[in-house]
Amino acid sequence: MERNSEIPGFYKRTVEERRQVVREWGNLTEAEARSYDIPPGIDRGILERMVENVIGAFPLPLGVATNFRINGADYLVPMAIEEPSVIAAASNSAKVTRATGGFRAQTSDPVMIGQIQVLDVVDPSAARLRILGEKANLLAAANAKDPMLVKFGGGARDLEVRVVPSPRGTMLVVHLLVDARDAGGMNAVNTMCEALAPTVAQLSGGRVVLRIISNLAVYRVARASATFPAAALATENATGPEVVEAILDAYTLACVDPFRCATHNKGIMNGISAVVVATGNDFRAIESGAHSYAAFLAKDGGVLRPLTTYEKDRNGDLVGTIELPTAVGLIGGATAVHPTAKANVKLLGVKGAQELAQVLVSVGLAQNFGALRALATEGIQRGHMSLHARNIAATAGATPAEVDAVVERLIAGHAIRIDRAREVLEEMRRHPKS
Ligand code: MEV
């Protein structure tokens, strides 16, 4: 019989009832269904209030990056991520920066952009001025929607109006700039945009459609820099200055080639997103902001720009910088309710969203440096593969006591595959001393 995914009242059922439905649907074993269990220490009610149709939880590994020193203070940085090597690389890179004082980080004010799209305006340039002429009243009306934000020093700050040609006629796009303080800003900005829309429509003589935050948060950026001493970068096969040159060569490809730049920036986000997830923030917003900023930076030419830069200083040491939008909050959203996110924010010890943003960009720079250093020297696969090999060994059935020996043989044989792991394991068990 054909199955029907239209399940009336599914959302009203209990977690157990839903679990039973999906278990039958997916033909899941008891053990498979148990893997959905909500971990002890997490109140299921919290998860049920966060999203719909909950059947369980999906635990990611949570690790902690060590060695981070940012603006003179030390941090242990929680990172939730499925990818091996990321946490180790961040920790190793952060260690290299300690001799030169660690990371120096800063932020702009936490100003988000809300967009109001206006169509069917007959005189867009004049309408733009009519709206700008009412700026003070519009900002006051926006702020009246969120007195708490205003009380904490935030609120609507400015208004911009863009005239944007489009295949469906010229549009006006009003940008409401809102200082979101310690919030991500989504709710405050969207509410304000919706509130201003009727007045904007009236002033422009047009028709409003979209009223929504922009993830290209160009006014809410964080920046960090760090010096990686050449002397600390020497390998068995290359001197420190040679490694600096190789990293600069590797970085430069990201500046001139979008295919490399995409991967370069992905590596940065390995670190940033892991902290964003661990602190319960909206990782899609941060990813969208980062990658659209990479395109925005290329407005004077090219397609994408790397979110980091590398230069050599007078001493021949490598200096890295990073800048990207960081629309993270500490109040509202999952950060304020998810118990693991709350514990991680406490562990991190950040006092506000801007401090969190400074940690994020420092981790992003560390992650990127770690990737470039590996790529420019021994290649990424050696470090990557040893962790991968551990997974393969365990999947092949190696016990904890056998894993190391299996991994060693897989790496030595340059064949990190499940079939080879099974063979190795069989051989080891047949000849325990070999
Ligand atoms: C892998 O997740 C990330 C890297 O590809 C980043 C990079 O190439 O810079 C290693």
Side-chain angles (χ1 to χ4, degrees), residues 236-249:
E236 272 172 27
N237 305 316
T239 64
E242 283 169 346
V243 174
V244 168
E245 295 302 327
I247 291 176
L248 289 171
D249 288 338

PDB file of all heavy atoms in Angstrom, residues 236-249:
ATOM      1  N   GLU A 236      59.676  19.838   9.442  1.00  0.00           N
ATOM      2  CA  GLU A 236      60.840  18.986   9.135  1.00  0.00           C
ATOM      3  C   GLU A 236      61.447  19.351   7.794  1.00  0.00           C
ATOM      4  O   GLU A 236      62.636  19.255   7.576  1.00  0.00           O
ATOM      5  CB  GLU A 236      60.373  17.524   9.034  1.00  0.00           C
ATOM      6  CG  GLU A 236      60.370  16.790  10.346  1.00  0.00           C
ATOM      7  CD  GLU A 236      59.721  15.423  10.190  1.00  0.00           C
ATOM      8  OE1 GLU A 236      59.742  14.856   9.084  1.00  0.00           O
ATOM      9  OE2 GLU A 236      59.155  14.949  11.197  1.00  0.00           O
ATOM     10  N   ASN A 237      60.580  19.781   6.891  1.00  0.00           N
ATOM     11  CA  ASN A 237      61.032  19.987   5.505  1.00  0.00           C
ATOM     12  C   ASN A 237      61.139  21.441   5.080  1.00  0.00           C
ATOM     13  O   ASN A 237      61.536  21.721   3.955  1.00  0.00           O
ATOM     14  CB  ASN A 237      60.057  19.293   4.528  1.00  0.00           C
ATOM     15  CG  ASN A 237      59.889  17.840   4.875  1.00  0.00           C
ATOM     16  OD1 ASN A 237      60.875  17.165   5.161  1.00  0.00           O
ATOM     17  ND2 ASN A 237      58.653  17.362   4.897  1.00  0.00           N
ATOM     18  N   ALA A 238      60.716  22.372   5.936  1.00  0.00           N
ATOM     19  CA  ALA A 238      60.720  23.775   5.494  1.00  0.00           C
ATOM     20  C   ALA A 238      61.045  24.691   6.669  1.00  0.00           C
ATOM     21  O   ALA A 238      60.650  24.420   7.808  1.00  0.00           O
ATOM     22  CB  ALA A 238      59.355  24.137   4.911  1.00  0.00           C
ATOM     23  N   THR A 239      61.751  25.772   6.373  1.00  0.00           N
ATOM     24  CA  THR A 239      62.048  26.761   7.416  1.00  0.00           C
ATOM     25  C   THR A 239      60.788  27.592   7.683  1.00  0.00           C
ATOM     26  O   THR A 239      59.862  27.607   6.850  1.00  0.00           O
ATOM     27  CB  THR A 239      63.166  27.722   6.962  1.00  0.00           C
ATOM     28  OG1 THR A 239      62.656  28.462   5.840  1.00  0.00           O
ATOM     29  CG2 THR A 239      64.432  26.964   6.559  1.00  0.00           C
ATOM     30  N   GLY A 240      60.805  28.326   8.801  1.00  0.00           N
ATOM     31  CA  GLY A 240      59.666  29.187   9.118  1.00  0.00           C
ATOM     32  C   GLY A 240      59.371  30.173   7.998  1.00  0.00           C
ATOM     33  O   GLY A 240      58.228  30.273   7.532  1.00  0.00           O
ATOM     34  N   PRO A 241      60.405  30.931   7.527  1.00  0.00           N
ATOM     35  CA  PRO A 241      60.138  31.888   6.444  1.00  0.00           C
ATOM     36  C   PRO A 241      59.599  31.214   5.184  1.00  0.00           C
ATOM     37  O   PRO A 241      58.760  31.792   4.473  1.00  0.00           O
ATOM     38  CB  PRO A 241      61.519  32.516   6.187  1.00  0.00           C
ATOM     39  CG  PRO A 241      62.221  32.383   7.511  1.00  0.00           C
ATOM     40  CD  PRO A 241      61.756  31.103   8.119  1.00  0.00           C
ATOM     41  N   GLU A 242      60.042  29.996   4.904  1.00  0.00           N
ATOM     42  CA  GLU A 242      59.501  29.292   3.719  1.00  0.00           C
ATOM     43  C   GLU A 242      58.013  28.973   3.914  1.00  0.00           C
ATOM     44  O   GLU A 242      57.214  29.082   2.983  1.00  0.00           O
ATOM     45  CB  GLU A 242      60.278  27.980   3.467  1.00  0.00           C
ATOM     46  CG  GLU A 242      61.628  28.215   2.831  1.00  0.00           C
ATOM     47  CD  GLU A 242      62.517  26.955   2.823  1.00  0.00           C
ATOM     48  OE1 GLU A 242      62.205  25.960   3.528  1.00  0.00           O
ATOM     49  OE2 GLU A 242      63.558  27.004   2.131  1.00  0.00           O
ATOM     50  N   VAL A 243      57.661  28.610   5.137  1.00  0.00           N
ATOM     51  CA  VAL A 243      56.245  28.303   5.396  1.00  0.00           C
ATOM     52  C   VAL A 243      55.410  29.578   5.268  1.00  0.00           C
ATOM     53  O   VAL A 243      54.305  29.563   4.705  1.00  0.00           O
ATOM     54  CB  VAL A 243      56.060  27.635   6.783  1.00  0.00           C
ATOM     55  CG1 VAL A 243      54.578  27.467   7.109  1.00  0.00           C
ATOM     56  CG2 VAL A 243      56.771  26.291   6.819  1.00  0.00           C
ATOM     57  N   VAL A 244      55.950  30.709   5.763  1.00  0.00           N
ATOM     58  CA  VAL A 244      55.228  31.988   5.618  1.00  0.00           C
ATOM     59  C   VAL A 244      54.961  32.258   4.139  1.00  0.00           C
ATOM     60  O   VAL A 244      53.832  32.598   3.741  1.00  0.00           O
ATOM     61  CB  VAL A 244      56.026  33.149   6.256  1.00  0.00           C
ATOM     62  CG1 VAL A 244      55.436  34.498   5.865  1.00  0.00           C
ATOM     63  CG2 VAL A 244      56.069  32.993   7.774  1.00  0.00           C
ATOM     64  N   GLU A 245      55.980  32.080   3.304  1.00  0.00           N
ATOM     65  CA  GLU A 245      55.793  32.328   1.852  1.00  0.00           C
ATOM     66  C   GLU A 245      54.750  31.372   1.272  1.00  0.00           C
ATOM     67  O   GLU A 245      53.901  31.769   0.463  1.00  0.00           O
ATOM     68  CB  GLU A 245      57.124  32.157   1.083  1.00  0.00           C
ATOM     69  CG  GLU A 245      58.202  33.169   1.454  1.00  0.00           C
ATOM     70  CD  GLU A 245      57.775  34.621   1.252  1.00  0.00           C
ATOM     71  OE1 GLU A 245      56.994  34.892   0.321  1.00  0.00           O
ATOM     72  OE2 GLU A 245      58.218  35.480   2.050  1.00  0.00           O
ATOM     73  N   ALA A 246      54.815  30.126   1.689  1.00  0.00           N
ATOM     74  CA  ALA A 246      53.861  29.136   1.143  1.00  0.00           C
ATOM     75  C   ALA A 246      52.430  29.484   1.564  1.00  0.00           C
ATOM     76  O   ALA A 246      51.489  29.341   0.781  1.00  0.00           O
ATOM     77  CB  ALA A 246      54.244  27.736   1.606  1.00  0.00           C
ATOM     78  N   ILE A 247      52.270  29.960   2.809  1.00  0.00           N
ATOM     79  CA  ILE A 247      50.923  30.351   3.263  1.00  0.00           C
ATOM     80  C   ILE A 247      50.446  31.561   2.459  1.00  0.00           C
ATOM     81  O   ILE A 247      49.279  31.632   2.043  1.00  0.00           O
ATOM     82  CB  ILE A 247      50.910  30.632   4.781  1.00  0.00           C
ATOM     83  CG1 ILE A 247      51.119  29.321   5.552  1.00  0.00           C
ATOM     84  CG2 ILE A 247      49.597  31.304   5.204  1.00  0.00           C
ATOM     85  CD1 ILE A 247      51.222  29.476   7.065  1.00  0.00           C
ATOM     86  N   LEU A 248      51.347  32.514   2.196  1.00  0.00           N
ATOM     87  CA  LEU A 248      50.959  33.682   1.401  1.00  0.00           C
ATOM     88  C   LEU A 248      50.568  33.264  -0.017  1.00  0.00           C
ATOM     89  O   LEU A 248      49.607  33.783  -0.594  1.00  0.00           O
ATOM     90  CB  LEU A 248      52.094  34.712   1.374  1.00  0.00           C
ATOM     91  CG  LEU A 248      52.323  35.434   2.715  1.00  0.00           C
ATOM     92  CD1 LEU A 248      53.612  36.272   2.671  1.00  0.00           C
ATOM     93  CD2 LEU A 248      51.142  36.329   3.077  1.00  0.00           C
ATOM     94  N   ASP A 249      51.307  32.285  -0.569  1.00  0.00           N
ATOM     95  CA  ASP A 249      50.938  31.771  -1.904  1.00  0.00           C
ATOM     96  C   ASP A 249      49.548  31.150  -1.863  1.00  0.00           C
ATOM     97  O   ASP A 249      48.710  31.388  -2.743  1.00  0.00           O
ATOM     98  CB  ASP A 249      51.940  30.698  -2.367  1.00  0.00           C
ATOM     99  CG  ASP A 249      53.288  31.292  -2.749  1.00  0.00           C
ATOM    100  OD1 ASP A 249      53.339  32.495  -3.052  1.00  0.00           O
ATOM    101  OD2 ASP A 249      54.283  30.538  -2.733  1.00  0.00           O
TER     102      ASP A 249
END
